[in-house]
Amino acid sequence: MMERRRMDAALLVVFLGHLATALEVPLDLLEKLPQPPTITNQSPRDYIIDPRENIIIHCEAKGNPHPSFSWTRNGTHFDIDEDSNVNMRPHSGTLVVDISREKAEHYEGLYQCTARNKHGTAVSNNIFVRQSRSPLWSKEKIKPIVVQEGVSLVLPCRPPVGLPPPIIFWMDNNFQRLPQSSRVSQSLNGDLYFSNVLREDSRNDYICYARFPHTQTIQQKQPITVKVINLDALNDTMAAFYNDTDLFSEDPLEERKPAFLIPSGPSSSKMVLRGQVLEMECIADGLPTPEISWTKVSRDFPAKRTSFLHYQKTLRIVNVSESDAGDYRCTARNRLGSVHHTIHVSVKAAPYWLSGPPRNLVLAPGENGVLTCRASGTPKPTITWAMNGIPIENSPKDLSRKVEDDTIIFTDVQTGSSAVYQCNVSNDYGYLLANAFVNVLSESPRVLTPANKVYQVVKNHQALMDCASFGSPMPRITWFKESRSSTLDGDPYILHDNGTLEIHVAQGRHSGKYTCVAQNFLGNYENHIYLEVKEPTRILKQPEYKVVQRGRSVVFECKVKHDPSLTPIMTWLKDDGELPDDERFIVDLDSLTITDVTENDVGVYTCIMNTTLDHDSASAELTVVEATPTPAVVYEKPDPPTDLELTDQKKRSVQLTWTPGDEHYSPIHKFLIQYEDSLHHRGHWHNLTEVPGTKTTAHLKLSPYVHYTFRVLAVNAVGFSHPSSSSRIYKTEPAAPDENPTGVKGFGTQHDNLVISWKPLSDLQSNGPGLHYRVMWRQQGVDSEWTTVTVANNSQFVVSGTPTFVPYEIKVQAVNDHGDGPEPAIAHGYSGEDLPLAAPRNVQAMVRNSTLAEVHWDPVLPKHTRGHLKGYKVYYRREYSIHKHNPHHVEEQILTFSGNHSHGMLPGLHPFSRYSFNVRAYNGKGEGPPSLTQHFETPEGVPGAPTSLIVTNPNLDSLTLEWSPPHDRNGHITGYTLKYQPVNNSNEVGPVEELALLANETSVTLFNLKYSTRYKFYLNAKTVRGAGPAISQEVVPIINEALISQLDVDVGTGTRGISTGNTQTSHPIAPSAPRHPSHKVRPVSPFGNVSSSVGEEGTLISWEYWGPEKNIYVEYIVENSEGEEEWQKELVNGSQNIMLKGLKGGLSYRVRLVAKGHHDQPLHHSEELLVTVPAVASRQVDIATQGWFIGLMCAIALLILILLIICFIQRNKGGKYPVKEKEDAHTDPEFQPMKEDDCTFGEYSDNEDHKPLKGSRTPSNGTVKRDDSDDSLVDYGEGGDGQFNEDGSFIGQYSGKTASRDTGEGHESSEAPSPINAMNSLNSFV
């Protein structure tokens, strides 16, 4: 009876197991469904931690709702809140233990995590937490080991016990691994074994190391000293010492048969667990060294899992199974004999799954199911069940649940019976713990495969289309194709249990739209799938074997056919590797060309054509031979191609093939393909495309409604061939236009029209006869219907009677006899503009300073603009100067402000003046009416420089200065300021004296001036706004000189600038008449108050600027210069003044300021300023006439004479004087005798005294003396540069200049000979 029950239960399990398998679903994709907890991540069972780092014990779980977590430690509840060192991560069960305040060993133990929600409870494995240990080696004193040569030896390691166990290796003092061999090897426990020792084994640094992998530390044992001795040699030595007495009477060690050092005895046993690694070792003693071999009694080794290590001494078998149990024999053998040892291996097994852990169940109310916990082990494990972490026998009774050993059977489950079940399988060697939930749900079907998924397969290959679904109860899957006339459940379709539809051999007819339907009693769900069956990729023309001469070119062709919807990628290989990175290798669409072939190019070349679905390949070999000598050749143009043929004819394309003509020894590098359209342009040939010279086919893209005729020209290094014969005519069928006209615009030429224009299509773009255009428009935001007209043979259409300046939407569509072009894009335009209706209102001015005003206005309303607002224009005029009250006849000036502005600046105004202005809006049509005229007055500014400053009545210690008021007063003159200071011959200035003068004064007399002292005077005028620029003058108060410094004034054109005068003749220089600007209405310059002042350092240019540009330049050019001379330019770095130091004295310059914006913006110039830089000639005391200077020169001449006499005496005594030879060879042809009256060498004039003063004018004779004081010693030689001997003595000639001086100077020359001339003169005299 009991046996029958078991059989019935087994049959039920098989039946229910079949039902349950179909309910496995990817619950991760169904986030909204209720779900019991599932452990997703946990720490390993044997968890070894690093004591130096925080402890992290992982426990992660999922479920809906999200589960909560708790822990047990050593079988009891672990209250995390009571331990401040332990924290649990948010939304997780992972524990983080801070060991900074507590040792890690305090937290060793057995941990288990529990995750629970309202649908059940899941538990983790038992996690055994232990800290890693790497203890030190116990201190010991190891005595040296003395051993006789030939015997066996074992060096023990005995490492400290660590967790995990250490890795052992032997090294020397230099951290080099000790060599091992079949004679010397390390055993599995770490000891070092010698089958027999040799004298070279003697050393004092046998060191055993233990590496603890978890903490990455290495411990070292004390070194072991081994000394190997030879008793025969020792006996001979001692016998000689003790009168041939043999101290070691034993016989010398002889060869011996093998004997095992480990393992001991004839047999042993070993147990290993299933899945682990089995390692067995045999190490033998013997001389000579034995060889080790292994056999398995009555069985062979598992070849793939077996290896032999340590010179065959260790047998290793990985992933042990029960079949590896049995007897293993190791044999040690040398020429004296052999020895055997048998190891009996038994295999035990910790529990392991037979068909995987139990799987989650999703059941609908009333359904049946089964949980299976099928496992095995040796010995046979016991299986226990728990529900929600509680042993199942202690859980609430459930009539729908029945436990049968390793199976739980569920029948007629009901809502609310969801739970998590734990299966625990254990024996003496381990355990398995698995969680599996039973989730009772009522859910309508849904398909998890993405909708409208496209599957692509290659023809004649398998096609698999997924329909992953979920529902409770489990939905039934049916498939339909296209019209859904019948289900797909027979040949060639195969429906799998998981819903996948298979077509074993897919064909083109199987392409199309498929529908899978998931259905249960709660509803159904459809999903659409698309299958595309592609043509396979095939190589039609394979590359061929080639033999080519070195230096020539070779072409491998690889023509491929593939599905046109797939993108092919051609790859070439050489000898199964990549092609060399060499520009000689040219990869084309269907060929590989190698130019200038060398011996290195020999090999097998493979072309591989890949698509996203399949590929095909073919190979060919290249052989390179030596080139044969050929006679000289004549290179010519190639012959024209022949045999033109059209293939693969389609509506919009055709394939053209041809046969190349003779190359005439110059390779063809390209072909030019031309076409003639006999329908539209008969007799005209057009270039269509070019292809490389290695190709003889071309795929040509064509246009509809063209009668094509093709021809081909070949091109080599010499030139083009003659055209080939024409191909036959290929007519493409007409079609509707592919495109619409471009450049569609809408604009108005009158205030009541709209002009619609476009760029018409060409004949080639028309695609057919009867080309015309459908023009459509509607008022934007008003009309809902389009107004349409048809236009032919024109590229514009005028719509009349439109409102003024309203927006329109416009479309132009190409149409021919075969249909319409594509839907045209909407363009936007406006009907015609008209002049603005209204003027700006609330116009007012705000005066910023004496030269700048800001104008404000209210913008014109858009409805009154009647067009695209371009901006506003300010018309303004200077009516009169408030100082003079006489009107100025100046035409209006205009300042334009582009864009929708409501204010603007008026720069460059005249101070102390009255202005009138009005503002007007303007659009593309023109200007609107002006606003009401407004007025404003500018305040006083600083005055200009006095018009003139002259010197009268100069005496020994006094003089009179007379001046004229400024031309530009810019206000009421309140007075003048006069400053003056002495200037010495070095242009150094003395203290400044200052006088304040009344406004009505025009002259002043200065007394008590120093005799023969040059003075510089500065005079400027003042208003209430401050002092203006100064006019300057230099003069020497002496009455008996022919030349008296006078002022030279130059008033800048149309500005307040002045040029300072410097020393000149006593006659006043009349100022040049001021230049007024031409009376034209033009935009105002952003520059104002441009002035100049000439001083000792140069010419100072000052200005004011209100423009937006950043790049400001000062440009100047000599007045009345020839046309080819260019303006000189200097950049201004953000300041409003600059010192020009490059102006030459005695010249007049035109100076202007330039503001430069972007490349597309105009330049802004200031009005030009005329600046005169005076030349300088000062009347100074001639230093050559001073007594002290004459005495000094006489002393120098006397000293030179004495030195020459001494040198002459030394010369006569036979001394060597390196200059003497040159002196004798070259005498001075221009000997100048000394003056007897003053002992000077001719006249001497200090050149420094003749330098022109900065800012002074030239003497009345118009010449300035040349400065000859800088003559070098080389100038006085006879045509060579001065040279020095190796000893440093000068060997240049001391003669006078060979070229005569400037005779034009005559007796007026104040030049004195240089000391070198004096020396030459004395040499000649002596």
Side-chain angles (χ1 to χ4, degrees):
M1 186 67 180
M2 194 68 175
E3 193 67 29
R4 180 176 179 81
R5 285 183 180 178
R6 290 182 179 176
M7 185 174 296
D8 292 342
L11 292 174
L12 181 61
V13 166
V14 172
F15 172 72
L16 293 178
H18 175 72
L19 294 178
T21 55
L23 291 177
E24 286 293 325
V25 295
L27 292 176
D28 293 339
L29 302 177
L30 306 171
E31 297 178 354
K32 296 182 180 180
L33 291 177
Q35 180 179 342
T38 301
I39 301 290
T40 58
N41 183 29
Q42 56 184 316
S43 294
R45 296 180 186 179
D46 193 5
Y47 188 25
I48 300 175
I49 60 172
D50 190 334
R52 300 167 297 182
E53 300 176 354
N54 289 342
I55 304 172
I56 300 177
I57 310 176
H58 293 279
C59 180
E60 304 289 344
K62 66 178 181 179
N64 192 16
H66 192 73
S68 61
F69 297 88
S70 62
W71 285 85
T72 61
R73 178 183 174 190
N74 297 326
T76 61
H77 176 67
F78 184 29
D79 193 345
I80 298 170
D81 297 332
E82 291 184 356
D83 194 333
S84 60
N85 296 328
V86 181
N87 291 307
M88 185 182 295
R89 289 178 176 172
H91 309 293
S92 167
T94 298
L95 297 182
V96 180
V97 183
D98 183 2
I99 63 170
S100 61
R101 297 186 297 269
E102 188 72 61
K103 291 185 177 180
E105 63 185 14
H106 177 74
Y107 292 97
E108 290 183 324
L110 195 64
Y111 291 80
Q112 188 173 38
C113 172
T114 301
R116 58 171 54 88
N117 66 11
K118 64 180 181 180
H119 301 295
T121 301
V123 296
S124 71
N125 293 320
N126 288 323
I127 303 172
F128 189 19
V129 177
R130 295 181 292 171
Q131 73 168 7
S132 63
R133 290 175 171 82
S134 52
L136 298 176
W137 233 298
S138 59
K139 292 186 177 180
E140 59 179 335
K141 186 175 182 181
I142 303 177
K143 296 181 179 180
I145 298 176
V146 181
V147 63
Q148 182 181 352
E149 184 179 9
V151 301
S152 61
L153 176 65
V154 179
L155 299 183
C157 180
R158 302 190 189 99
V161 178
L163 185 66
I167 298 172
I168 307 301
F169 50 92
W170 289 79
M171 303 178 75
D172 59 16
N173 277 331
N174 296 321
F175 299 101
Q176 300 296 318
R177 284 188 178 270
L178 294 175
Q180 297 190 24
S181 62
S182 59
R183 183 179 66 85
V184 182
S185 62
Q186 176 182 317
S187 67
L188 295 177
N189 67 355
D191 295 343
L192 190 63
Y193 281 79
F194 295 79
S195 296
N196 51 77
V197 294
L198 303 177
R199 297 193 61 179
E200 56 263 28
D201 294 329
S202 296
R203 61 191 306 157
N204 58 2
D205 59 350
Y206 285 94
I207 305 173
C208 182
Y209 288 87
R211 181 169 67 86
F212 297 89
H214 206 79
T215 58
Q216 295 299 316
T217 58
I218 297 178
Q219 305 291 351
Q220 171 185 340
K221 185 182 177 72
Q222 291 293 325
I224 301 175
T225 299
V226 174
K227 185 174 181 181
V228 180
I229 60 174
N230 186 303
L231 291 184
D232 291 340
L234 184 59
N235 270 333
D236 294 341
T237 302
M238 299 304 292
F241 185 77
Y242 292 103
N243 297 320
D244 294 332
T245 302
D246 189 0
L247 297 181
F248 299 94
S249 58
E250 298 178 2
D251 295 334
L253 192 65
E254 297 180 352
E255 295 182 348
R256 61 188 181 279
K257 61 184 294 187
F260 282 115
L261 296 174
I262 55 170
S264 59
S267 63
S268 61
S269 62
K270 190 176 183 67
M271 189 274 291
V272 64
L273 291 180
R274 179 182 184 271
Q276 293 186 350
V277 177
L278 170 63
E279 286 186 325
M280 298 174 286
E281 65 178 351
C282 288
I283 302 177
D285 163 31
L287 187 68
T289 302
E291 298 291 334
I292 304 297
S293 61
W294 292 85
T295 57
K296 185 177 182 183
V297 177
S298 72
R299 260 185 138 161
D300 293 332
F301 296 116
K304 294 182 179 181
R305 296 185 288 114
T306 303
S307 58
F308 299 95
L309 309 175
H310 305 140
Y311 304 93
Q312 301 288 323
K313 299 177 185 180
T314 302
L315 170 63
R316 178 185 176 93
I317 300 176
V318 298
N319 194 19
V320 170
S321 66
E322 289 80 353
S323 62
D324 296 324
D327 292 335
Y328 293 82
R329 176 177 294 177
C330 66
T331 302
R333 178 180 289 104
N334 65 10
R335 62 172 175 262
L336 300 180
S338 62
V339 63
H340 307 283
H341 183 91
T342 301
I343 303 174
H344 178 74
V345 175
S346 61
V347 178
K348 304 294 183 180
Y352 59 91
W353 300 113
L354 292 176
S355 57
R359 293 184 292 177
N360 298 324
L361 281 182
V362 179
L363 300 175
E367 283 194 321
N368 304 326
V370 64
L371 285 179
T372 303
C373 186
R374 197 68 52 80
S376 182
T378 306
K380 183 179 180 180
T382 59
I383 298 175
T384 59
W385 288 93
M387 185 182 79
N388 295 330
I390 301 173
I392 199 165
E393 57 269 17
N394 298 332
S395 300
K397 298 296 182 181
D398 187 351
L399 297 178
S400 65
R401 180 184 66 229
K402 183 178 181 181
V403 179
E404 292 283 349
D405 194 16
D406 60 358
T407 304
I408 300 180
I409 302 170
F410 299 93
T411 56
D412 192 22
V413 296
Q414 299 300 317
T415 303
S417 58
S418 298
V420 182
Y421 291 86
Q422 289 80 35
C423 169
N424 190 317
V425 184
S426 61
N427 65 8
D428 296 339
Y429 301 104
Y431 75 94
L432 295 173
L433 177 64
N435 291 275
F437 65 70
V438 176
N439 200 4
V440 180
L441 296 173
S442 291
E443 290 291 330
S444 60
R446 66 191 72 182
V447 176
L448 305 180
T449 301
N452 299 315
K453 185 174 182 180
V454 177
Y455 290 88
Q456 294 181 336
V457 297
V458 178
K459 184 178 178 181
N460 296 324
H461 285 65
Q462 181 189 50
L464 293 173
M465 292 174 285
D466 296 327
C467 187
S469 62
F470 171 77
S472 183
M474 181 180 67
R476 184 172 62 89
I477 303 299
T478 54
W479 283 85
F480 300 92
K481 185 175 185 296
E482 303 293 354
S483 62
R484 306 179 63 168
S485 57
S486 61
T487 59
L488 306 178
D489 54 1
D491 188 52
Y493 301 103
I494 302 172
L495 181 60
H496 293 271
D497 292 339
N498 62 357
T500 298
L501 182 68
E502 177 186 352
I503 304 175
H504 189 62
V505 181
Q507 301 296 322
R509 65 179 181 275
H510 296 142
S511 296
K513 176 181 176 181
Y514 289 78
T515 302
C516 78
V517 179
Q519 185 175 11
N520 65 15
F521 73 89
L522 296 175
N524 58 63
Y525 190 99
E526 291 187 358
N527 194 32
H528 299 297
I529 303 293
Y530 294 88
L531 177 64
E532 296 178 357
V533 180
K534 305 293 185 180
E535 289 294 325
T537 301
R538 294 291 179 264
I539 295 179
L540 301 179
K541 183 176 182 180
Q542 299 183 0
E544 300 176 349
Y545 172 73
K546 299 282 186 178
V547 178
V548 64
Q549 294 180 352
R550 183 166 55 87
R552 301 298 295 270
S553 298
V554 64
V555 178
F556 288 107
E557 289 187 298
C558 186
K559 296 187 181 297
V560 181
K561 178 184 178 182
H562 61 87
D563 192 283
S565 64
L566 299 178
T567 302
I569 300 176
M570 175 71 77
T571 304
W572 286 87
L573 303 178
K574 178 180 183 292
D575 298 329
D576 295 330
E578 293 184 358
L579 289 178
D581 186 9
D582 191 335
E583 60 184 8
R584 297 183 301 108
F585 289 77
I586 303 170
V587 177
D588 204 347
L589 184 63
D590 54 5
S591 64
L592 169 66
T593 303
I594 308 174
T595 61
D596 192 18
V597 172
T598 67
E599 290 82 357
N600 295 330
D601 299 331
V602 171
V604 176
Y605 291 84
T606 303
C607 71
I608 304 175
M609 178 61 75
N610 288 288
T611 67
T612 54
L613 296 180
D614 65 342
H615 71 278
D616 196 9
S617 63
S619 301
E621 186 177 358
L622 173 64
T623 300
V624 179
V625 298
E626 285 295 328
T628 56
T630 57
V633 296
V634 178
Y635 299 102
E636 297 179 2
K637 297 178 182 179
D639 289 341
T642 58
D643 302 330
L644 271 64
E645 184 178 354
L646 299 176
T647 59
D648 195 16
Q649 300 174 6
K650 298 179 181 178
K651 290 183 178 181
R652 298 288 184 97
S653 66
V654 70
Q655 181 131 329
L656 175 65
T657 61
W658 62 89
T659 301
D662 193 339
E663 296 181 344
H664 293 292
Y665 305 104
S666 177
I668 296 173
H669 58 82
K670 69 177 180 179
F671 292 98
L672 174 63
I673 301 173
Q674 297 179 330
Y675 75 93
E676 176 195 23
D677 180 7
S678 58
L679 180 62
H680 301 103
H681 301 285
R682 180 179 296 275
H684 294 276
W685 289 91
H686 308 275
N687 294 340
L688 181 60
T689 187
E690 292 180 353
V691 297
T694 56
K695 299 185 64 175
T696 58
T697 63
H699 189 76
L700 307 178
K701 294 183 178 180
L702 308 178
S703 297
Y705 195 52
V706 178
H707 294 179
Y708 284 98
T709 303
F710 302 99
R711 70 182 187 185
V712 183
L713 291 83
V715 185
N716 64 6
V718 180
F720 283 87
S721 70
H722 292 294
S724 68
S725 300
S726 300
S727 69
R728 61 181 176 84
I729 295 179
Y730 183 68
K731 299 179 181 180
T732 55
E733 296 296 328
D738 293 327
E739 54 188 310
N740 289 311
T742 58
V744 178
K745 299 177 182 178
F747 57 92
T749 57
Q750 300 295 331
H751 67 87
D752 60 350
N753 74 0
L754 171 68
V755 179
I756 302 174
S757 67
W758 60 89
K759 182 181 178 181
L761 299 182
S762 65
D763 291 336
L764 203 62
Q765 296 171 313
S766 65
N767 285 6
L771 177 65
H772 57 277
Y773 303 98
R774 185 176 296 138
V775 182
M776 295 164 278
W777 71 92
R778 68 182 178 187
Q779 188 172 339
Q780 184 174 333
V782 177
D783 299 335
S784 60
E785 298 296 330
W786 293 88
T787 303
T788 305
V789 298
T790 299
V791 178
N793 302 321
N794 206 339
S795 61
Q796 73 173 27
F797 178 77
V798 180
V799 182
S800 301
T802 64
T804 301
F805 194 68
V806 293
Y808 279 87
E809 293 180 335
I810 306 165
K811 296 193 296 185
V812 179
Q813 186 179 28
V815 182
N816 64 17
D817 294 346
H818 290 266
D820 300 344
E823 178 64 25
I826 296 177
H828 296 84
Y830 281 84
S831 58
E833 299 179 281
D834 206 347
L835 296 177
L837 286 174
R841 304 180 65 183
N842 293 332
V843 177
Q844 53 184 321
M846 299 174 62
V847 178
R848 295 296 186 187
N849 55 44
S850 60
T851 61
L852 179 66
E854 185 174 1
V855 179
H856 289 260
W857 62 87
D858 289 345
V860 176
L861 297 177
K863 64 180 180 179
H864 295 149
T865 305
R866 301 205 298 179
H868 295 287
L869 179 66
K870 300 294 185 181
Y872 293 88
K873 294 183 180 181
V874 178
Y875 285 73
Y876 64 103
R877 180 201 311 270
R878 183 187 183 197
E879 294 187 347
Y880 55 82
S881 170
I882 299 175
H883 172 72
K884 297 180 180 179
H885 286 285
N886 58 326
H888 289 265
H889 298 288
V890 179
E891 293 186 8
E892 280 186 315
Q893 293 178 288
I894 304 173
L895 198 57
T896 301
F897 299 95
S898 299
N900 191 15
H901 290 275
S902 61
H903 63 90
M905 295 289 187
L906 300 182
L909 304 177
H910 290 274
F912 210 47
S913 301
R914 178 180 174 86
Y915 282 85
S916 62
F917 72 96
N918 61 66
V919 184
R920 309 175 190 183
Y922 73 97
N923 58 19
K925 193 71 173 179
E927 299 176 6
S931 67
L932 295 177
T933 300
Q934 303 292 328
H935 298 84
F936 65 88
E937 294 181 355
T938 55
E940 292 188 49
V942 296
T947 307
S948 64
L949 177 63
I950 62 175
V951 178
T952 61
N953 302 323
N955 294 305
L956 291 176
D957 59 353
S958 66
L959 53 78
T960 299
L961 294 174
E962 295 180 358
W963 62 88
S964 300
H967 181 271
D968 296 322
R969 300 192 179 188
N970 297 338
H972 299 289
I973 302 297
T974 59
Y976 296 91
T977 300
L978 176 65
K979 297 180 182 180
Y980 62 94
Q981 59 188 146
V983 183
N984 64 12
N985 294 333
S986 301
N987 291 329
E988 296 176 349
V989 296
V992 178
E993 300 289 341
E994 183 174 332
L995 292 177
L997 305 173
L998 298 178
N1000 56 0
E1001 292 187 81
T1002 58
S1003 66
V1004 66
T1005 301
L1006 302 176
F1007 299 97
N1008 299 322
L1009 302 178
K1010 294 180 181 180
Y1011 165 74
S1012 296
T1013 300
R1014 182 159 49 105
Y1015 281 87
K1016 189 160 188 177
F1017 301 93
Y1018 308 90
L1019 180 69
N1020 55 8
K1022 297 186 293 181
T1023 65
V1024 293
R1025 300 291 293 181
I1031 187 171
S1032 64
Q1033 171 68 290
E1034 290 185 15
V1035 70
V1036 178
I1038 183 168
I1039 196 168
N1040 60 347
E1041 297 294 338
L1043 300 177
I1044 298 177
S1045 299
Q1046 193 95 9
L1047 175 67
D1048 178 17
V1049 179
D1050 178 30
V1051 179
T1053 302
T1055 69
R1056 299 185 294 113
I1058 60 98
S1059 296
T1060 62
N1062 294 320
T1063 55
Q1064 58 179 23
T1065 62
S1066 59
H1067 304 287
I1069 304 300
S1072 59
R1075 301 178 182 178
H1076 298 283
S1078 59
H1079 299 285
K1080 294 182 180 179
V1081 178
R1082 56 186 175 81
V1084 174
S1085 167
F1087 295 97
N1089 293 340
V1090 183
S1091 62
S1092 66
S1093 177
V1094 179
E1096 296 178 358
E1097 300 296 327
T1099 302
L1100 179 66
I1101 308 296
S1102 303
W1103 64 90
E1104 294 181 5
Y1105 177 66
W1106 302 276
E1109 290 79 11
K1110 300 293 185 182
N1111 299 322
I1112 309 298
Y1113 297 88
V1114 173
E1115 297 182 343
Y1116 57 91
I1117 191 172
V1118 177
E1119 187 182 26
N1120 301 325
S1121 60
E1122 297 181 1
E1124 60 271 8
E1125 187 170 350
E1126 296 182 354
W1127 288 79
Q1128 302 297 313
K1129 180 187 298 184
E1130 292 194 21
L1131 178 65
V1132 179
N1133 294 323
S1135 64
Q1136 294 197 359
N1137 60 73
I1138 186 173
M1139 181 68 72
L1140 299 179
K1141 299 183 178 181
L1143 306 185
K1144 297 181 180 179
L1147 297 177
S1148 295
Y1149 289 86
R1150 292 156 54 199
V1151 181
R1152 68 185 182 188
L1153 290 143
V1154 180
K1156 183 178 181 181
H1158 298 293
H1159 66 277
D1160 57 351
Q1161 294 179 348
L1163 298 177
H1164 296 289
H1165 295 87
S1166 71
E1167 295 179 347
E1168 291 185 6
L1169 184 70
L1170 186 63
V1171 177
T1172 300
V1173 184
V1176 178
S1178 65
R1179 182 62 174 171
Q1180 300 181 14
V1181 178
D1182 191 352
I1183 193 174
T1185 63
Q1186 302 297 309
W1188 63 270
F1189 182 78
I1190 295 174
L1192 177 62
M1193 295 306 298
C1194 288
I1196 293 175
L1198 181 60
L1199 180 60
I1200 293 174
L1201 180 60
I1202 294 172
L1203 290 175
L1204 291 175
I1205 293 172
I1206 292 173
C1207 291
F1208 181 76
I1209 294 172
Q1210 292 294 332
R1211 179 77 173 180
N1212 291 338
K1213 289 182 178 181
K1216 292 184 178 179
Y1217 185 52
V1219 183
K1220 180 62 180 174
E1221 296 177 3
K1222 291 293 183 180
E1223 292 173 346
D1224 295 338
H1226 303 281
T1227 59
D1228 188 357
E1230 296 184 1
F1231 170 67
Q1232 297 179 359
M1234 293 192 304
K1235 283 183 147 184
E1236 295 181 359
D1237 54 346
D1238 57 3
C1239 297
T1240 61
F1241 295 100
E1243 289 188 359
Y1244 182 84
S1245 176
D1246 187 0
N1247 291 319
E1248 290 297 324
D1249 291 342
H1250 287 283
K1251 288 184 178 178
L1253 295 174
K1254 293 183 179 178
S1256 65
R1257 299 184 67 85
T1258 61
S1260 58
N1261 61 4
T1263 62
V1264 177
K1265 292 297 296 173
R1266 174 181 179 270
D1267 187 359
D1268 288 334
S1269 64
D1270 58 352
D1271 291 340
S1272 67
L1273 295 177
V1274 178
D1275 293 333
Y1276 292 85
E1278 284 190 346
D1281 295 336
Q1283 303 178 24
F1284 289 86
N1285 280 335
E1286 293 179 0
D1287 61 357
S1289 60
F1290 186 75
I1291 64 172
Q1293 290 78 8
Y1294 278 21
S1295 62
K1297 290 187 177 180
T1298 57
S1300 63
R1301 296 300 185 101
D1302 187 358
T1303 58
E1305 297 177 3
H1307 66 280
E1308 295 180 0
S1309 173
S1310 61
E1311 175 188 358
S1314 70
I1316 300 302
N1317 283 337
M1319 293 174 64
N1320 289 335
S1321 300
L1322 285 174
N1323 284 338
S1324 301
F1325 181 77
V1326 174

